[in-house]
Amino acid sequence: MAVTALDMVLKELEQDRSLHKPDQLRRRIEALDRLEACLFRTPNQGGDTESALYRRAQVLIADLEAVNRNLFQSIRHKIREGGGDGGLYEWATLSSEEGRPLDQLNGVGYDYLDVLVSDILQFDDPGEEVAPLAPEMVFYQPTPARHIFDLIRRAAFGEHDVLIDLGSGLGHVSLLTAICTPARCIGIELEAAYVAGARHSAQALNVTNATFVQQDVRSADFSTGTVFYLYTPFTGTILRDVLDMLKREAASREIRLCTLGPCTPIVGKESWLTAIDSRDIDQVAIFRSL
Ligand SMILES: C[S@@+](CC[C@H](N)C(=O)[O-])C[C@H]1O[C@@H](n2cnc3c(N)ncnc32)[C@H](O)[C@@H]1O
């Protein structure tokens, strides 16, 4: 049964030559996922038919991965050589194969854009060096790439903007914003292994407008920030303290807060903020100080 399923999937995908076109990234990644899932469900017990199917699957996987590798390498090369975002943002503004604008894609699951981004940013695996977090601090989980591109589009960062990502993890938000916009970006993160990973990625791509500070955000300097991003990095009293710090910043200048996840309704109750772009709960919300 599983052998038949693998055979059918292979026949369909082998015939579809459009999968080898560089611009068919989403469909190619979905095809690779289907192949991996089929192989997982089809144990190779060494029969002639199974072995032949396995060989065909491996050839197709290698071919499709090679197309991806070339595409990712060319984007990395352009970014490194100062060629702007190397076309990265274009992949995200409109999923052309679907004709579906980005802001209709809700939810916090990961998709093909995350495959693209993690290959472009090429983080070192922080492995087991990561220290346990104190209560109220939220464990590391990156913002799904489509939400970062959505933030970049809606926040319309200018050259005078300074984005501060509070609890920046491996630095996806700061790095992508620094690559795709003229803004200066600062990631503040407690975990040293994540900060080292983010710095390494910025250096390898020659991204000079993103910097990373290893610090508890409660002792950080917010004075240069114009836009603050929170993917629910902490809760409870820490969130309260940080919101009070931001309110003090807002007393002397206008700032924007961009949030994702369960912190959004809490931030939305702050009387010194107004929602400027209210969206679905699953999407990035943007607030500005009054
Ligand atoms: C949900 S992750 C968000 C990561 C990143 N902002 C992103 O969106 O991809 C939360 C991060 O906040 C960090 N964090 C939690 N409390 C912190 C604190 N008080 N100071 C600095 N970083 C903190 C955690 O280590 C974790 O990496």
Side-chain angles (χ1 to χ4, degrees), residues 93-130:
T93 47
L94 187 72
S95 177
S96 56
E97 301 111 324
E98 291 175 305
R100 198 157 49 140
L102 184 73
D103 63 3
Q104 287 177 15
L105 301 168
N106 291 341
V108 286
Y110 296 95
D111 65 21
Y112 77 102
L113 287 175
D114 297 286
V115 177
L116 168 69
V117 163
S118 63
D119 223 283
I120 300 301
L121 300 182
Q122 288 193 358
F123 296 111
D124 299 330
D125 181 359
E128 289 169 10
E129 303 152 50
V130 175

Side-chain angles (χ1 to χ4, degrees), residues 54-263:
Y54 258 71
R55 275 195 300 279
R56 275 170 59 201
Q58 298 302 351
V59 168
L60 185 54
I61 288 172
D63 285 354
L64 297 180
E65 284 181 344
V67 181
N68 281 353
R69 214 168 26 252
N70 288 338
L71 172 69
F72 299 156
Q73 266 170 13
S74 105
I75 297 172
R76 277 181 67 80
H77 179 75
K78 284 182 196 151
I79 294 171
R80 220 173 17 236
E81 298 304 310
D85 69 355
L88 188 56
Y89 182 66
E90 216 174 299
W91 282 104
T93 47
L94 187 72
S95 177
S96 56
E97 301 111 324
E98 291 175 305
R100 198 157 49 140
L102 184 73
D103 63 3
Q104 287 177 15
L105 301 168
N106 291 341
V108 286
Y110 296 95
D111 65 21
Y112 77 102
L113 287 175
D114 297 286
V115 177
L116 168 69
V117 163
S118 63
D119 223 283
I120 300 301
L121 300 182
Q122 288 193 358
F123 296 111
D124 299 330
D125 181 359
E128 289 169 10
E129 303 152 50
V130 175
L133 287 169
E136 300 190 337
M137 296 187 184
V138 176
F139 64 89
Y140 177 53
Q141 195 177 4
T143 298
R146 67 184 176 287
H147 289 303
I148 306 177
F149 289 118
D150 182 38
L151 166 73
I152 288 171
R153 185 176 62 78
R154 285 164 51 213
F157 294 99
E159 60 185 330
H160 300 299
D161 274 315
V162 177
L163 168 73
I164 302 188
D165 182 7
L166 302 174
S168 49
L170 279 169
H172 292 68
V173 179
S174 302
L175 285 164
L176 286 183
T177 307
I179 289 168
C180 298
T181 81
R184 196 152 70 78
C185 302
I186 302 169
I188 302 172
E189 168 60 48
L190 197 55
E191 173 51 59
Y194 296 153
V195 173
R199 285 179 183 154
H200 184 254
S201 176
Q203 207 171 14
L205 284 167
N206 202 15
V207 174
T208 53
N209 54 335
T211 50
F212 296 92
V213 184
Q214 193 263 312
Q215 203 174 26
D216 188 313
V217 297
R218 288 170 291 182
S219 40
D221 174 14
F222 290 174
S223 64
T224 56
T226 64
V227 182
F228 295 83
Y229 178 73
L230 297 97
Y231 180 25
T232 313
F234 25 72
T235 58
T237 57
I238 305 184
L239 181 57
R240 183 66 267 150
D241 290 349
V242 173
L243 285 172
D244 289 342
M245 287 170 71
L246 291 167
K247 186 179 175 185
R248 283 195 289 279
E249 293 297 323
S252 57
R253 67 189 194 285
E254 183 180 301
I255 59 172
R256 288 186 285 168
L257 263 65
C258 304
T259 63
L260 183 64
C263 73

